[in-house]
Amino acid sequence: IETMKVFALLGVALMAMTANAVHDRVIEVESFTGYKVFRAWPEKDQLEFMRSFQGSGAYDYWTEVRLDKPVDIMAPPSAQAAFIRQLTDKGVRHEVMIPDVQALIDLEKAQSKLGSKISDDHAMTWTEYHSLEDMYTFLDYLEATYDFVSTESIGKSYEGRDMRVAKICKGGCGSKPAIWIDGGIHAREWISPATVTWMLRELVENDAAHSDLLENMDWYILPDHNPDGYAYTREHDRMWRKTRSSHGSIFGCKGVDPNRNWGYQWNTGGSSNDKCSDTYHGPEAWSEIENVNVRDFILSIKDKLVFFNSIHSYSQLILLPWGYTSNPPDNYDYMEAIALKGSDALTATHGEFYETGCIPCMLYVASGSSADWALGGAGIQFSISMELRDTGYYGFILPPDQIIPTAEE
């Protein structure tokens, strides 16, 4: 009996040590001083080796391991020497892409302080990354100023934050084909809600330059799909990706990848059962209240929706369903033709190129995504997601001076 007690205590101690290791190194880090992002180019016979680091808890995969594409991996100072040695021993070509992640975060903050206020009616500037509260002052301003703009809270997040949708409808909502755009489903992708709110500004305040957009369409825009995660990135851990829900992790790991939790082909590949993983799909489909809120609202207007776009970063991609399989949907050619027209117009804006194609073709299998559900569950015939700037020099920490050019694209 005494021996069993000793083993039990050792087990508890080991779990506690593991929990602390995960907590301190990747899951909740308040400073990224000395953290580096490595870019590697694995060959076909090196792919599994590159994936082998994912289970350690020490590394944050900014992009997934894929053939003929680079993989970007953030490593803490304590793991870098061993990481470099192993890559070198295996002959994997690699380089340091970001030498100090915290230095980029500090630059992001410093540039934000240079922004000047553009209106007494709201807090947004688009020369810095703003809080959710600032974004909502802009929604308040639009609603008070333009009679064709209204807002609606479609529900509250896990931590009780309102999820507000801007509805832009001339002549009232519901009589025209409709557009859905959302941002910020992954918390650390700050360029996404910044871009979405600027798009909202352009759509409303500069209506005269493209009046056909509002005359012929209703628009529904959700600036931040994951408000709890976004707040956490601003207050604690800049690299946090998931929601902030709790699902009984013995290591204290929180959150679910909200773009692996949708109830269409949920948990059929490209997501994780590990509650500490950045791609944890949740205990069941629709476990995340944020996704339920969006689902229920979209279903209430789905008969009018002809366009769905969920905006992410980074890699400069226009991604078409399916995500769960490389077999294309029946309307793939229709979606691709429209997406390629959009890609050409985007490139004409500032010369940046966004590659277009199916999700597994360019990235990896990813089941339980919102774009797959929008097409397969809600029947929205043009359903895409986008990865905004850049292609890796800054990654998720895009400087604020690129907000407006990215949004213009």
Side-chain angles (χ1 to χ4, degrees):
I1 294 175
E2 290 302 317
T3 302
M4 291 175 65
K5 287 181 178 178
V6 169
F7 278 121
L9 289 170
L10 284 172
V12 171
L14 180 60
M15 285 193 293
M17 290 169 62
T18 306
N20 287 335
V22 170
H23 174 90
D24 290 341
R25 298 178 75 177
V26 170
I27 303 303
E28 289 186 60
V29 179
E30 295 198 9
S31 173
F32 289 90
T33 299
Y35 279 66
K36 298 181 188 296
V37 177
F38 294 85
R39 171 161 283 187
W41 290 265
E43 302 290 338
K44 185 174 183 180
D45 61 351
Q46 298 167 334
L47 296 177
E48 285 308 311
F49 167 72
M50 290 303 301
R51 293 186 182 105
S52 68
F53 296 98
Q54 286 181 302
S56 71
Y59 303 98
D60 185 1
Y61 280 63
W62 284 21
T63 61
E64 293 295 323
V65 178
R66 47 208 165 119
L67 184 62
D68 299 326
K69 299 287 185 181
V71 55
D72 302 338
I73 302 173
M74 184 174 70
S78 59
Q80 289 165 14
F83 184 62
I84 293 169
R85 184 173 62 252
Q86 292 179 75
L87 293 183
T88 303
D89 289 347
K90 287 289 186 178
V92 178
R93 184 165 64 95
H94 63 279
E95 67 180 21
V96 174
M97 187 176 79
I98 299 176
D100 188 341
V101 172
Q102 188 61 44
L104 271 190
I105 294 173
D106 293 342
L107 176 64
E108 182 181 64
K109 293 177 180 177
Q111 287 195 5
S112 290
K113 294 177 181 177
L114 300 176
S116 57
K117 193 171 184 179
I118 64 172
S119 173
D120 292 331
D121 298 314
H122 60 82
M124 295 296 290
T125 64
W126 296 280
T127 55
E128 62 184 292
Y129 291 107
H130 288 267
S131 66
L132 183 70
E133 291 75 18
D134 285 355
M135 295 181 211
Y136 285 174
T137 68
F138 182 59
L139 266 59
D140 291 338
Y141 152 74
L142 292 178
E143 189 170 32
T145 307
Y146 298 90
D147 60 7
F148 55 88
V149 178
S150 61
T151 71
E152 177 182 341
S153 175
I154 61 172
K156 293 187 180 293
S157 67
Y158 179 81
E159 294 180 342
R161 293 177 174 86
D162 278 316
M163 297 178 64
R164 292 179 64 184
V165 168
K167 301 187 288 187
I168 308 97
C169 310
K170 284 193 172 181
C173 293
S175 62
K176 292 175 288 202
I179 305 286
W180 170 273
I181 298 173
D182 68 71
I185 193 169
H186 287 145
R188 63 187 174 187
E189 299 167 6
W190 284 12
I191 186 60
S192 172
T195 291
V196 169
T197 51
W198 189 92
M199 292 166 68
L200 175 58
R201 176 195 183 194
E202 174 68 18
L203 193 66
V204 174
E205 293 190 335
N206 202 21
D207 172 45
H210 35 64
S211 58
D212 56 319
L213 294 178
L214 297 187
E215 293 297 336
N216 298 321
M217 297 280 184
D218 292 339
W219 296 72
Y220 300 91
I221 296 179
L222 175 66
D224 198 331
H225 194 301
N226 181 8
D228 297 345
Y230 184 67
Y232 196 76
T233 63
R234 293 182 61 85
E235 297 163 6
H236 299 286
D237 179 353
R238 176 63 182 82
M239 290 296 105
W240 187 260
R241 167 184 166 101
K242 300 187 287 183
T243 62
R244 291 296 298 165
S245 57
S246 181
H247 295 288
S249 166
I250 60 173
F251 299 132
C253 299
K254 299 190 75 172
V256 165
D257 183 340
N259 206 38
R260 301 292 187 277
N261 184 244
W262 291 71
Y264 186 83
Q265 297 293 331
W266 175 79
N267 189 23
T268 59
S271 60
S272 176
N273 293 312
D274 180 358
K275 293 177 182 178
C276 295
S277 169
D278 268 349
T279 57
Y280 174 50
H281 48 53
E284 60 187 356
W286 307 117
S287 64
E288 302 313 284
I289 186 61
E290 296 84 0
N291 288 355
V292 171
N293 292 339
V294 175
R295 176 199 67 190
D296 291 349
F297 183 80
I298 286 178
L299 288 177
S300 74
I301 59 170
K302 73 180 183 68
D303 291 342
K304 290 296 184 180
L305 285 171
V306 297
F307 180 102
F308 174 98
N309 188 3
S310 183
I311 295 182
H312 298 249
S313 75
Y314 63 98
S315 287
Q316 297 185 193
L317 302 170
I318 301 171
L319 298 168
L320 311 178
W322 303 115
Y324 76 93
T325 176
S326 56
N327 297 322
D330 292 341
N331 66 337
Y332 184 84
D333 291 344
Y334 162 79
M335 289 191 293
E336 184 184 43
I338 296 173
L340 288 172
K341 288 180 182 293
S343 176
D344 290 344
L346 187 157
T347 300
T349 306
H350 293 297
E352 294 290 332
F353 176 70
Y354 281 50
E355 191 175 357
T356 301
C358 75
I359 296 169
C361 307
M362 296 195 295
L363 293 176
Y364 40 78
V365 169
S367 63
S369 72
S370 65
D372 275 11
W373 176 84
L375 178 61
I380 304 168
Q381 290 304 297
F382 185 82
S383 295
I384 66 168
S385 57
M386 292 181 69
E387 301 281 353
L388 302 180
R389 291 190 187 188
D390 60 1
T391 56
Y393 187 80
Y394 294 106
F396 297 116
I397 316 169
L398 196 69
D401 61 10
Q402 293 197 40
I403 293 172
I404 292 177
T406 303
E408 288 171 338
E409 290 163 353

